[in-house]
Every structure is written in C-alpha cells, then in structure tokens.
C-alpha cells in the first residue's frame, strides 16, 4: 500500500481518497492568503509554509534548511490525517530546494529524498503579475528578480515532467480560477 519512508508510508493522497494540491511559485503571489481561505471553503485542512514559522531572516544554514524540509514533510503527513477529500499545501519540497540553491548555493540530498515522500495530485503555479509586498523576509521584489524566480519555479516542474495550471490575474481572478479547478478535481476520479 505504499513506500516506507521516514514518516511511514509514502504520502499519496489518492491512497486515502484525498487529493493533495500544491500552491507553488515565487514569493508574494497570493498563495498563503488563498490556501487557508479555500481550505475553509472546502471544509478541509491546509499546510502552511512551515519555513515562515522557523526563520526570521534569509541568513540560514544547511542544518536550518534540512529542518525546514523535514518539518514541511511531517506537516503534510499530519494534516493529511484530518483532511476532507482535499489537502491544500502552500508550498512543497521543490520550493525548499529552489531557495536552498538560491541562498546556500547547494541542495542537500536529503531534500531530494524528502521531495519523493509526497506525491501531489495537482500543481498551481502562481505567476508574478500581482504587486510584490515586502514583509521583512521577502527579498525578491524587483521585476527582473521576480521574473527570474518564476522561470526557476517553472523550469523545476518542467524538468520533473509535472503538469500544472498557471494562476494569473488579480487576486479575485486567481481565487475564482483555483476554486473552479479544485471543484473539477474533486469530481474526477
């Protein structure tokens, strides 16, 4: 019934009748606002970006990034137990790898192994066509930086053969689009 991993059986939501979706993309694109809102609407659980609970600056170590990866993966497994047909994740381990490479110049092999422990049923790539909002941790706010990060995020999905829906437009348009796709996902076997 699954692959044994650090956290037990490999997390594949479909094994449990739950679809796991990932809100994915560069900072300040609306993922963290939309995830809890839609989780509430769909009466289910959501997984926050755990790094936000663990770091206060972008000056972190390899040990820090590994702790973030472990905690993010563990949180998915924890929330999956209480999810109702759908689990909305505000990030994933590909994102952790992108930021590890960006800030530390390396991707520890353990992050790659952790990525393999969760299989997402659907990805939403959030575009950078909304205003960037500083929050004390975000630091990729210029147009060229945002475009570069979006390119990196998309390249990582493409290199893994992961299909996705691109989320664009105003915050309202994003919410309407994602809601519609989630409803479709829940009606498809």
């Amino acid at each position: 019934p699954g692959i044994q991993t650090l956290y037990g059986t490999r997390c594949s939501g479909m094994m449990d009748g739950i679809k796991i979706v990932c809100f994915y993309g560069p900072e300040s694109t609306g993922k963290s606002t939309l995830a809890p809102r839609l989780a509430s609407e769909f009466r289910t659980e959501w997984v926050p970006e755990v790094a936000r609970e663990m770091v206060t600056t972008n000056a972190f170590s390899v040990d820090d990034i590994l702790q973030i990866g472990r905690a993010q993966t563990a949180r998915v497994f924890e929330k999956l137990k209480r999810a109702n047909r759908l689990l909305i994740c505000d990030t994933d381990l590909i994102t952790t790898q992108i930021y590890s490479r960006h800030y530390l110049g390396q991707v520890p092999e353990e992050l790659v192994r952790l990525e393999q422990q969760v299989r997402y049923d659907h990805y939403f790539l959030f575009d950078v066509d909304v205003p960037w909002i500083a929050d004390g941790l975000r630091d990729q706010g210029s147009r060229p930086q945002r475009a570069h990060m979006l390119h990196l995020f998309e390249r990582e999905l493409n290199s893994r053969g992961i299909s996705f829906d691109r989320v664009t437009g105003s915050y309202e348009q994003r919410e309407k689009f994602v809601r519609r796709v989630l409803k479709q996902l829940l009606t498809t076997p």
Side-chain angles (χ1 to χ4, degrees):
I3 300 165
Q4 289 301 307
T5 68
L6 178 63
Y7 300 103
T9 303
R10 180 176 175 183
C11 180
S12 174
M14 288 309 296
M15 291 189 318
D16 304 313
I18 297 167
K19 299 211 178 178
I20 305 173
V21 299
C22 184
F23 288 7
Y24 175 87
E27 62 187 28
S28 195
T29 55
K31 302 178 302 293
S32 297
T33 302
L34 194 54
R37 181 178 298 153
L38 288 175
S40 176
E41 182 178 321
F42 283 89
R43 293 183 172 90
T44 192
E45 296 287 326
W46 70 285
V47 179
E49 182 182 5
V50 175
R52 291 267 175 186
E53 301 167 7
M54 300 177 72
V55 298
T56 55
T57 73
N58 289 319
F60 49 83
S61 68
V62 171
D63 286 340
D64 295 331
I65 201 79
L66 289 172
Q67 287 179 16
I68 290 166
R70 291 176 198 130
Q72 190 70 46
T73 304
R75 190 74 61 90
V76 172
F77 278 84
E78 172 192 323
K79 294 287 191 165
L80 186 60
K81 293 174 187 173
R82 296 188 306 270
N84 174 29
R85 297 180 55 217
L86 177 69
L87 180 64
I88 300 171
C89 300
D90 184 9
T91 191
D92 71 344
L93 265 287
I94 300 171
T95 300
T96 308
Q97 292 172 47
I98 290 170
Y99 285 114
S100 180
R101 188 176 299 111
H102 179 76
Y103 291 109
L104 301 172
Q106 62 177 299
V107 176
E109 185 59 34
E110 184 176 345
L111 292 182
V112 177
R113 288 193 303 272
L114 288 166
E115 174 195 341
Q116 302 304 313
Q117 293 189 17
V118 179
R119 185 184 64 76
Y120 294 88
D121 297 291
H122 198 84
Y123 270 82
F124 292 94
L125 174 61
F126 282 65
D127 207 316
V128 295
D129 59 341
V130 290
W132 183 82
I133 300 167
D135 70 354
L137 191 58
R138 295 176 179 147
D139 64 358
Q140 300 293 306
S142 75
R143 246 176 236 246
Q145 288 172 316
R146 295 186 85 202
H148 174 70
M149 291 307 285
L150 179 63
H151 170 75
L152 293 179
F153 276 86
E154 186 169 354
R155 183 181 73 193
E156 291 299 322
L157 291 179
N158 288 334
S159 73
R160 288 165 172 82
I162 297 172
S163 61
F164 58 90
D165 278 315
R166 185 179 299 270
V167 181
T168 62
S170 70
Y171 294 115
E172 295 78 20
Q173 291 168 321
R174 288 165 188 253
E175 184 172 344
K176 184 177 179 182
F177 173 74
V178 173
R179 179 184 296 111
R180 181 174 51 80
V181 174
L182 290 177
K183 285 179 179 178
Q184 290 172 348
L185 281 172
L186 289 173
T187 60
T188 6

